[in-house]
């Protein structure tokens, strides 16, 4: 019999809900069979943890005396430039921002030791961060400069606001050229000597709800160790890609835009990332609960690593020049085993996202729900689906 | 028989000295060079594995110190900070000697200091700066 979200929430409040992780549900199916689990299980928890460049946070710093207008001026947090094109005391820091004097790739490959992602990690860790402002001064905001330490516990709002996270599937990166390359998918040795991947596979949120039947605008989630929300579909959301007969995309597809109170989060699940020769970013931990409303939704959550395929893409040529060529398809079971075979060649693999952290998050979210601390939500509006015609388009340059 | 791994830091004036030959010839030790590097300031760094009788080993190391080489046991040099490691497994396939291992069932990474030859590859590439070399 189909369930509703409010019925599930009633059971959560009474401490009666049955919650399992997306990994546990696979074993449960072997034990009990689909018919039985759809009646018994209320929620399946999914999760991911990995570098997600389209991330950042905004803050309201509080007014100084006399007042200063950061808006339209320049500001830095630990030497990392922040976006000031909003109101007087609001600033936004992006995960990939670098200090003005960082040498970047001038001496290639650059180290990228500290940037926006690290500032966010320092803030959630409770460390003081140095704010330096230069403003132009107005009659109502006369002050021109400010240099002070700030701490997350003293400022007004601190909100994580990420326009694109939790990619539904991702490329496997290799390098077919003759020289080492440094990419956002890590260091890739020449002649396909290694491959990197970045998805939590069978635990990944959007791979457990491939057609966006339960995840939508307004969905309450685990974000960075606290509670967050899906506020929109993510940028580059691309639902119309080729899919398996079970609806699972065979390449990067849907994405989530998420936000949440940074003050509740912690550094276990929000970490500054330095990609050698590439840049800085933020690793984000996300957990999404899937309400088991009917058998169809349950079937999607039974997905296993061996049923999820990812395209192998050459990051020396096909990716940078947008050629769209794929060298082959591999599944996540093989990727996680440490080696794959592409065009007859055995290649060592390593991850960039952490499956171990994803497991931990799925476990924590399960625990929150079991303890009645986390209730499920009905989306306010759905995402554009696979048949909507909604597409991720390239830029057409014109003059 | 004893076996140790040490980091030898040479001042500029000793870089050309055939110290490994002397360890082998005069102290009857077996020497295996794991890594050699000369810095831009022309100081040298050699990571070696030495084995032989315990007594000869001690004497050999004393000889190195006497001529002005800084000798540090290798084990103290690399530091895997477990609280920073996210178990992403990225370093695992990039380490040339397989010093990192993954429990494939739970995808957790462990580090075996004994195997490390201090090539510093993982120190550079770990996105979370979980591995540090301490001097
Ligand atoms: S690359 Fe760093 S974070 Fe990832 S498994 Fe290795 S040591 Fe841990
Ligand atoms: S320094 Fe790192 S990559 Fe190099 S041998 Fe040691 S553990 Fe392996």
């Amino acid at each position: 019999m189909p369930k509703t979200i409010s019925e599930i929430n009633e059971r959560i409040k009474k401490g009666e809900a049955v919650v399992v992780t997306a990994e546990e549900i696979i074993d449960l199916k072997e034990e009990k069979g689909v018919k039985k689990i759809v009646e018994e299980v209320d929620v399946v928890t999914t999760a991911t943890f990995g570098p997600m460049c389209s991330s950042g946070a905004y803050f309201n710093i509080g007014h100084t005396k006399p007042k200063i207008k950061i808006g339209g001026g320049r500001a830095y947090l630990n030497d990392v430039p922040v976006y000031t094109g909003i109101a007087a005391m609001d600033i936004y820091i992006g995960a990939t921002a670098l200090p003005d004097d960082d040498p970047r790739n001038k001496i290639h490959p650059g180290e990228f030791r500290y940037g926006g992602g690290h500032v966010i990690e320092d803030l959630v860790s409770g460390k003081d961060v140095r704010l330096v402002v230069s403003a132009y001064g107005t009659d109502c905001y006369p002050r021109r400069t400010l240099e002070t330490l700030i701490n997350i516990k003293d400022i007004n709002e601190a909100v994580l606001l990420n326009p694109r996270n939790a990619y539904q599937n991702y490329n496997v990166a290799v390098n077919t050229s003759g020289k080492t390359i440094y990419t956002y998918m890590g260091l890739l040795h020449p002649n396909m000597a290694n491959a990197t991947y970045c998805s939590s596979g069978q635990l990944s949120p959007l791979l457990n709800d491939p057609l966006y039947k339960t995840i939508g605008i307004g969905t309450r989630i685990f974000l960075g160790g606290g509670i967050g929300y899906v506020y929109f579909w993510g940028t580059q959301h691309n639902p119309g890609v080729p899919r398996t007969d079970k609806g699972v995309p065979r390449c990067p597809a849907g994405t989530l835009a998420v936000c949440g109170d940074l003050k509740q989060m912690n550094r276990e699940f929000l970490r500054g990332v330095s990609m050698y020769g590439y840049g800085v970013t933020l690793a984000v931990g996300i957990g999404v609960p899937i309400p088991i409303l009917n058998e169809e939704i349950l079937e999607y959550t039974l997905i296993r690593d061996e049923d999820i395929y990812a395209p192998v893409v050459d990051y020396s040529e096909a990716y940078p020049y947008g050629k769209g060529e794929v060298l082959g398809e591999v599944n996540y079971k093989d990727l996680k085993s440490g080696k794959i075979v592409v065009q007859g060649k055995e290649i060592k693999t390593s991850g960039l996202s952490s499956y171990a952290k994803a497991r931990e998050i799925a476990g924590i979210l399960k625990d929150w729900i079991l303890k009645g601390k986390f209730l499920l939500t009905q989306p306010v509006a759905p995402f554009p689906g696979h048949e909507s015609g909604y597409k991720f388009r390239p830029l057409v340059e014109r003059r | 028989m004893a076996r140790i791994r040490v980091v030898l830091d040479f001042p500029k004036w000793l870089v050309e000295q055939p110290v490994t030959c002397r360890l082998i010839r005069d102290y009857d030790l077996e020497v295996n060079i794991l890594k050699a590097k000369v810095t831009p300031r022309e100081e040298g760094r050699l990571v070696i594995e030495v084995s032989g009788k315990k007594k000869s080993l001690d004497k050999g190391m004393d000889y190195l110190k006497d001529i002005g080489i800084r000798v540090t046991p290798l084990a103290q040099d690399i530091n895997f900070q477990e609280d920073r490691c996210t178990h992403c497994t990225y370093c695992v396939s990039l380490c040339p000697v397989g010093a990192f291992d993954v429990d494939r069932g739970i995808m957790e990474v462990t580090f075996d200091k004994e195997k490390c030859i201090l090539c510093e590859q993982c120190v550079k590439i770990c996105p979370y700066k979980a591995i540090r070399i301490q001097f």
Side-chain angles (χ1 to χ4, degrees):
Chain A
M1 208 183 63
K3 284 176 243 178
T4 65
I5 290 187
S6 45
E7 280 163 13
I8 293 176
N9 279 339
E10 281 314 307
R11 290 162 62 81
I12 295 174
K13 282 184 209 154
K14 286 192 212 139
E16 288 170 1
V18 178
V19 187
V20 296
T21 69
E23 214 179 46
E24 292 163 345
I25 192 91
I26 297 169
D27 297 333
L28 213 60
K29 182 201 162 194
E30 303 300 318
E31 249 174 65
K32 300 193 164 181
V34 174
K35 290 266 171 312
K36 196 125 200 254
I37 330 178
V38 79
E39 273 164 35
E40 286 177 13
V41 174
D42 297 302
V43 187
V44 170
T45 59
T46 66
T48 185
F49 177 94
M52 304 188 193
C53 287
S54 210
S55 298
Y58 66 83
F59 313 104
N60 179 280
I61 302 302
H63 283 288
T64 53
K65 261 186 200 171
K67 285 183 179 159
I68 186 168
K69 177 181 182 297
I70 304 179
R74 284 182 196 283
Y76 296 86
L77 287 174
N78 282 355
D79 294 332
V80 178
V82 302
Y83 182 70
T84 62
I86 35 181
M89 295 315 274
D90 288 346
I91 53 177
Y92 181 85
I93 186 162
T96 67
L98 288 165
D100 291 342
D101 61 359
D102 187 287
R104 294 167 164 80
N105 263 339
K106 270 189 198 123
I107 303 165
H108 190 261
E111 289 193 50
F112 303 100
R113 300 192 70 85
Y114 194 86
H118 301 88
V119 173
I120 294 172
E121 179 184 334
D122 280 348
L123 278 164
V124 292
S125 309
K127 287 189 190 161
D128 284 343
V129 165
R130 182 168 303 276
L131 169 70
V132 174
V133 181
S134 62
Y136 56 86
T138 70
D139 290 338
C140 44
Y141 294 93
R143 192 162 168 179
R144 301 270 178 102
T145 60
L146 169 65
E147 183 170 345
T148 178
L149 291 177
I150 59 166
N151 193 291
I152 193 166
K153 66 177 197 300
D154 305 324
I155 59 183
N156 295 312
E157 288 74 23
V159 178
L160 194 72
L161 182 77
N162 304 347
R164 175 174 10 117
N165 281 180
Y167 241 118
Q168 186 178 26
N169 211 345
Y170 212 74
N171 295 338
V172 175
V174 294
N175 169 15
T176 63
S177 80
K179 65 176 207 327
T180 298
I181 58 170
Y182 303 88
T183 72
Y184 70 89
M185 292 296 284
L187 183 158
L188 297 168
H189 285 303
N191 308 315
M192 302 207 293
N194 69 321
T196 55
Y197 64 96
C198 194
S199 169
S200 57
Q202 64 192 14
L203 270 177
S204 178
L206 288 174
L207 290 173
N208 280 279
D209 183 9
L211 303 178
Y212 328 112
K213 300 261 176 190
T214 70
I215 303 172
I217 297 172
T219 300
R220 183 181 291 127
I221 59 171
F222 171 111
L223 180 60
I227 286 174
Y229 298 88
V230 173
Y231 70 82
F232 210 66
W233 57 87
T235 55
Q236 299 188 10
H237 182 69
N238 197 22
V241 301
R243 290 169 184 259
T244 66
D245 52 8
K246 287 187 177 150
V248 179
R250 308 182 84 104
C251 56
T255 63
L256 304 178
V258 301
C259 62
D261 182 4
L262 195 66
K263 293 188 183 197
Q264 292 177 28
M265 302 184 194
N266 70 66
R267 78 174 273 285
E268 278 307 309
F269 307 105
L270 273 189
R271 297 282 287 276
V273 173
S274 301
M275 291 308 293
Y276 194 58
Y278 177 75
V280 294
T281 184
L282 183 73
V284 183
I286 292 180
V288 180
I290 297 182
I292 302 302
L293 302 176
N294 55 45
E295 202 172 308
E296 184 195 356
I297 289 168
L298 170 70
E299 289 280 359
Y300 293 129
T301 67
L302 297 172
I303 189 90
R304 293 168 309 170
D305 282 332
E306 48 265 56
D307 306 322
I308 309 168
Y309 288 86
V312 181
V313 174
D314 175 19
Y315 272 63
S316 70
E317 182 81 23
Y319 183 85
Y321 298 99
K323 293 189 174 162
E325 290 158 4
V326 168
L327 298 169
E329 268 190 337
V330 291
N331 69 44
Y332 281 92
K333 187 178 183 196
D334 292 340
L335 284 165
K336 278 167 64 188
S337 77
K339 42 182 190 278
I340 52 171
V341 177
V342 178
Q343 299 186 338
K345 186 182 155 79
E346 190 176 288
I347 308 176
K348 289 185 288 185
T349 60
S350 39
L352 288 164
S353 64
S354 165
Y355 189 81
K357 282 259 180 206
R359 285 180 96 223
E360 190 184 343
I361 294 166
I364 294 172
L365 182 56
K366 169 182 162 177
D367 203 52
W368 285 357
I369 300 171
L370 286 174
K371 291 203 173 109
K373 291 200 285 195
F374 187 106
L375 295 177
L376 307 196
T377 46
Q378 179 82 48
V380 182
F383 280 3
H386 63 300
E387 282 165 340
S388 64
Y390 190 89
K391 261 214 286 245
F392 168 38
R393 291 165 303 172
L395 174 68
V396 180
E397 294 177 54
R398 52 199 172 87
R399 282 172 213 281
Chain B
M1 276 289 278
R3 187 175 67 115
I4 52 166
R5 288 174 168 201
V6 287
V7 183
L8 309 183
D9 284 305
F10 296 69
K12 197 168 164 178
W13 62 88
L14 282 176
V15 167
E16 312 245 298
Q17 292 277 322
V19 292
T20 49
C21 287
R22 292 210 48 191
L23 286 179
I24 299 168
R25 203 180 57 211
D26 301 352
Y27 296 90
D28 191 26
L29 295 168
E30 243 178 71
V31 179
N32 185 8
I33 299 179
L34 301 175
K35 189 185 164 193
K37 186 164 116 188
V38 178
T39 67
R41 269 186 264 140
E42 293 179 22
E43 284 137 352
R45 163 167 276 217
L46 204 58
V47 184
I48 56 173
E49 184 176 81
V50 205
S51 47
K53 290 207 190 78
K54 175 87 177 72
K55 251 205 183 126
S56 333
L57 252 178
D58 291 344
K59 279 195 189 145
M61 293 305 114
D62 285 344
Y63 149 72
L64 294 175
K65 287 176 199 157
D66 284 347
I67 63 169
I69 294 170
R70 192 158 61 103
V71 183
T72 343
L74 180 56
Q76 287 175 4
D77 250 7
I78 189 128
N79 187 354
F80 176 58
Q81 293 168 297
E82 229 184 321
D83 69 316
R84 289 206 67 85
C85 174
T86 65
H87 305 278
C88 67
T89 75
Y90 176 43
C91 57
V92 179
S93 66
L94 294 174
C95 170
V97 294
F100 296 94
D101 201 12
V102 190
D103 179 335
R104 297 280 165 189
I106 52 173
M107 296 305 281
E108 279 182 14
V109 174
T110 49
F111 175 61
D112 182 357
K113 225 175 212 181
E114 286 298 303
K115 287 191 187 156
C116 172
I117 57 164
L118 268 197
C119 75
E120 293 183 26
Q121 176 87 335
C122 62
V123 179
K124 285 187 202 147
I125 57 97
C126 171
Y128 303 94
K129 300 271 178 296
I131 309 137
R132 298 225 163 125
I133 298 243
Q134 292 186 325
F135 299 103

